[in-house]
Amino acid sequence: MKRFAIAIDGPNGAGKSTVAREAARQLGCLYIDTGAIYRAVGLYVRRKNVPPDDRAAVAALLPEIELSLRHGPDGQHVFLSGEDVSEAIRTPEASIYAATVSKLPEVRASLLDLQRRFAREGSVVMDGRDIGTVVLPDAEVKIFLTASVDERARRRYDELRAKGQDVSFEEVKRDLEWRDRTDSTRDIAPLRAAEDAVTVDTTGLDIDESVERVMQVAKERGYGKA
Ligand code: DC
């Protein structure tokens, strides 16, 4: 089959990464989590003690950031100057740094080519915020995966509690709403559905049902088993 790309965009906590990973497994292609790349940049900025909204200072750091992805049996790992930071990028603080640096035009420009290069490695399911609109506007299948804010906050809350993090539901919801606002209102490549994207609302759906809806859209376009 010819190389193809499936773009999955949507707000925080809609289940993009879980659904995208499983869809990629079923399609036998690579799953690329682009949020991890923004998170790694955020982590680097944090480690350098640079304020994430200091445009000039963050831009000055970009040339020295060495990012790579490796894909193993347990999924994608992201490396920062050779160090596996896949776990370190998952804290609430890293989320805030990622959302803040991802507003900066220099950051988005420097990650654009990198993401496109990853997509050329083969057929991919790529998730993020601007994959269908900016990174891969020619993607064969575009999905906008969403869910109500309460449902997304509940999922994120359950996830963080399961990891032993001491957070309250209100805190998680507030953080989610702040990140939704930050992602949707930035000037460059804001979060929005591409005109040719199919919206899949996962409110009330479990993971299997969400994957099934996404696979259904892919199959209708000729990808995956009928
Ligand atoms: O999907 P995530 O929560 O891991 O993403 C972290 C942040 O990175 C999120 O606040 C928005 C940003 N991001 C982006 O701007 N564009 C992407 N393609 C992916 C993520």
Side-chain angles (χ1 to χ4, degrees), residues 78-105:
V78 55
F79 291 80
L80 194 54
S81 311
E83 176 196 347
D84 187 344
V85 293
S86 310
E87 283 295 315
I89 58 172
R90 297 292 158 197
T91 64
E93 188 191 34
S95 301
I96 293 169
Y97 268 76
T100 310
V101 297
S102 68
K103 288 200 281 186
L104 304 176

Short mmCIF file of all heavy atoms in Angstrom, two decimals, residues 78-105:
data_model
loop_
_atom_site.label_atom_id
_atom_site.label_comp_id
_atom_site.label_asym_id
_atom_site.label_seq_id
_atom_site.Cartn_x
_atom_site.Cartn_y
_atom_site.Cartn_z
N VAL A 78 11.18 9.67 23.72
CA VAL A 78 11.75 10.92 23.22
C VAL A 78 13.06 11.18 23.97
O VAL A 78 13.15 10.99 25.18
CB VAL A 78 10.73 12.08 23.31
CG1 VAL A 78 10.18 12.26 24.69
CG2 VAL A 78 11.32 13.38 22.82
N PHE A 79 14.07 11.58 23.19
CA PHE A 79 15.41 11.80 23.73
C PHE A 79 15.81 13.26 23.58
O PHE A 79 15.61 13.86 22.53
CB PHE A 79 16.43 10.92 23.00
CG PHE A 79 16.27 9.46 23.31
CD1 PHE A 79 15.30 8.70 22.68
CD2 PHE A 79 17.08 8.83 24.25
CE1 PHE A 79 15.13 7.35 22.97
CE2 PHE A 79 16.92 7.50 24.56
CZ PHE A 79 15.94 6.75 23.92
N LEU A 80 16.37 13.77 24.66
CA LEU A 80 16.87 15.14 24.69
C LEU A 80 18.38 15.03 24.89
O LEU A 80 18.81 14.52 25.94
CB LEU A 80 16.20 15.85 25.87
CG LEU A 80 16.25 17.35 25.99
CD1 LEU A 80 15.76 18.05 24.74
CD2 LEU A 80 15.43 17.80 27.20
N SER A 81 19.16 15.42 23.91
CA SER A 81 20.62 15.26 23.95
C SER A 81 21.00 13.86 24.40
O SER A 81 21.86 13.69 25.27
CB SER A 81 21.24 16.29 24.89
OG SER A 81 20.76 17.56 24.62
N GLY A 82 20.33 12.86 23.88
CA GLY A 82 20.67 11.48 24.17
C GLY A 82 20.05 10.91 25.44
O GLY A 82 20.10 9.71 25.67
N GLU A 83 19.41 11.77 26.26
CA GLU A 83 18.78 11.28 27.50
C GLU A 83 17.30 10.96 27.25
O GLU A 83 16.58 11.78 26.67
CB GLU A 83 18.90 12.37 28.58
CG GLU A 83 18.19 12.02 29.87
CD GLU A 83 17.97 13.24 30.79
OE1 GLU A 83 18.59 14.30 30.54
OE2 GLU A 83 17.16 13.12 31.72
N ASP A 84 16.87 9.80 27.69
CA ASP A 84 15.46 9.43 27.53
C ASP A 84 14.62 10.22 28.54
O ASP A 84 14.71 9.99 29.74
CB ASP A 84 15.30 7.92 27.76
CG ASP A 84 13.88 7.44 27.43
OD1 ASP A 84 12.98 8.29 27.32
OD2 ASP A 84 13.69 6.22 27.30
N VAL A 85 13.83 11.17 28.04
CA VAL A 85 13.04 12.03 28.94
C VAL A 85 11.55 11.70 28.87
O VAL A 85 10.71 12.49 29.29
CB VAL A 85 13.27 13.54 28.62
CG1 VAL A 85 14.70 13.96 28.96
CG2 VAL A 85 12.94 13.86 27.17
N SER A 86 11.23 10.52 28.37
CA SER A 86 9.83 10.14 28.16
C SER A 86 8.98 10.25 29.42
O SER A 86 7.80 10.59 29.35
CB SER A 86 9.75 8.71 27.62
OG SER A 86 10.62 8.57 26.53
N GLU A 87 9.57 9.98 30.58
CA GLU A 87 8.84 10.10 31.84
C GLU A 87 8.86 11.54 32.35
O GLU A 87 7.84 12.07 32.78
CB GLU A 87 9.50 9.20 32.91
CG GLU A 87 9.17 7.72 32.76
CD GLU A 87 7.68 7.44 32.99
OE1 GLU A 87 7.12 7.99 33.94
OE2 GLU A 87 7.10 6.71 32.16
N ALA A 88 10.03 12.15 32.28
CA ALA A 88 10.22 13.50 32.85
C ALA A 88 9.31 14.55 32.21
O ALA A 88 8.99 15.56 32.83
CB ALA A 88 11.68 13.92 32.70
N ILE A 89 8.86 14.30 30.97
CA ILE A 89 8.02 15.30 30.28
C ILE A 89 6.54 15.18 30.66
O ILE A 89 5.72 15.92 30.15
CB ILE A 89 8.15 15.19 28.74
CG1 ILE A 89 7.77 13.79 28.27
CG2 ILE A 89 9.53 15.59 28.28
CD1 ILE A 89 7.68 13.65 26.75
N ARG A 90 6.22 14.25 31.54
CA ARG A 90 4.79 14.01 31.84
C ARG A 90 4.27 14.67 33.10
O ARG A 90 3.16 14.38 33.52
CB ARG A 90 4.53 12.49 31.94
CG ARG A 90 4.78 11.74 30.64
CD ARG A 90 3.76 12.09 29.57
NE ARG A 90 4.28 11.79 28.25
CZ ARG A 90 3.77 12.28 27.12
NH1 ARG A 90 2.73 13.09 27.15
NH2 ARG A 90 4.30 11.97 25.96
N THR A 91 5.04 15.52 33.75
CA THR A 91 4.56 16.15 34.99
C THR A 91 3.65 17.34 34.64
O THR A 91 3.74 17.89 33.54
CB THR A 91 5.74 16.67 35.82
OG1 THR A 91 6.39 17.69 35.07
CG2 THR A 91 6.74 15.57 36.15
N PRO A 92 2.79 17.76 35.60
CA PRO A 92 1.95 18.94 35.34
C PRO A 92 2.79 20.18 35.01
O PRO A 92 2.42 20.99 34.17
CB PRO A 92 1.20 19.13 36.66
CG PRO A 92 1.16 17.76 37.27
CD PRO A 92 2.45 17.09 36.87
N GLU A 93 3.97 20.31 35.64
CA GLU A 93 4.83 21.46 35.35
C GLU A 93 5.30 21.42 33.90
O GLU A 93 5.31 22.43 33.19
CB GLU A 93 6.03 21.47 36.30
CG GLU A 93 6.82 22.76 36.15
CD GLU A 93 8.16 22.73 36.87
OE1 GLU A 93 8.80 21.66 36.93
OE2 GLU A 93 8.58 23.78 37.35
N ALA A 94 5.66 20.23 33.44
CA ALA A 94 6.12 20.07 32.05
C ALA A 94 4.98 20.42 31.09
O ALA A 94 5.22 20.97 30.01
CB ALA A 94 6.62 18.66 31.81
N SER A 95 3.74 20.12 31.47
CA SER A 95 2.58 20.45 30.62
C SER A 95 2.47 21.96 30.45
O SER A 95 2.19 22.45 29.35
CB SER A 95 1.28 19.95 31.25
OG SER A 95 1.30 18.58 31.43
N ILE A 96 2.68 22.68 31.55
CA ILE A 96 2.56 24.14 31.49
C ILE A 96 3.69 24.73 30.64
O ILE A 96 3.47 25.60 29.80
CB ILE A 96 2.55 24.72 32.92
CG1 ILE A 96 1.26 24.28 33.62
CG2 ILE A 96 2.69 26.24 32.91
CD1 ILE A 96 1.20 24.55 35.10
N TYR A 97 4.90 24.22 30.82
CA TYR A 97 6.02 24.69 30.01
C TYR A 97 5.78 24.40 28.53
O TYR A 97 6.03 25.24 27.67
CB TYR A 97 7.33 24.04 30.48
CG TYR A 97 8.04 24.91 31.50
CD1 TYR A 97 7.58 24.98 32.81
CD2 TYR A 97 9.13 25.69 31.15
CE1 TYR A 97 8.19 25.80 33.74
CE2 TYR A 97 9.75 26.51 32.08
CZ TYR A 97 9.28 26.56 33.37
OH TYR A 97 9.88 27.38 34.28
N ALA A 98 5.25 23.20 28.24
CA ALA A 98 5.01 22.82 26.84
C ALA A 98 3.97 23.74 26.22
O ALA A 98 4.16 24.25 25.10
CB ALA A 98 4.54 21.36 26.77
N ALA A 99 2.87 23.99 26.94
CA ALA A 99 1.80 24.84 26.39
C ALA A 99 2.33 26.26 26.17
O ALA A 99 1.95 26.93 25.21
CB ALA A 99 0.60 24.85 27.33
N THR A 100 3.22 26.72 27.05
CA THR A 100 3.71 28.10 26.95
C THR A 100 4.72 28.24 25.81
O THR A 100 4.61 29.15 24.99
CB THR A 100 4.32 28.55 28.30
OG1 THR A 100 3.38 28.26 29.34
CG2 THR A 100 4.62 30.03 28.30
N VAL A 101 5.70 27.32 25.74
CA VAL A 101 6.69 27.47 24.65
C VAL A 101 6.06 27.20 23.28
O VAL A 101 6.52 27.73 22.27
CB VAL A 101 7.95 26.56 24.82
CG1 VAL A 101 8.72 26.93 26.07
CG2 VAL A 101 7.62 25.08 24.78
N SER A 102 4.97 26.40 23.26
CA SER A 102 4.38 26.06 21.96
C SER A 102 3.65 27.25 21.33
O SER A 102 3.25 27.18 20.17
CB SER A 102 3.46 24.85 22.06
OG SER A 102 2.32 25.15 22.80
N LYS A 103 3.50 28.34 22.08
CA LYS A 103 2.90 29.56 21.50
C LYS A 103 3.92 30.35 20.68
O LYS A 103 3.55 31.19 19.88
CB LYS A 103 2.41 30.48 22.62
CG LYS A 103 1.20 29.97 23.33
CD LYS A 103 0.49 31.08 24.06
CE LYS A 103 1.15 31.42 25.37
NZ LYS A 103 0.39 32.40 26.16
N LEU A 104 5.22 30.10 20.92
CA LEU A 104 6.25 30.94 20.31
C LEU A 104 6.51 30.54 18.85
O LEU A 104 6.75 29.36 18.55
CB LEU A 104 7.55 30.83 21.11
CG LEU A 104 7.43 31.17 22.60
CD1 LEU A 104 8.74 30.93 23.33
CD2 LEU A 104 6.97 32.62 22.78
N PRO A 105 6.46 31.53 17.94
CA PRO A 105 6.63 31.23 16.51
C PRO A 105 7.94 30.50 16.21
O PRO A 105 7.98 29.60 15.38
CB PRO A 105 6.64 32.61 15.84
CG PRO A 105 6.15 33.57 16.85
CD PRO A 105 6.24 32.96 18.20
#
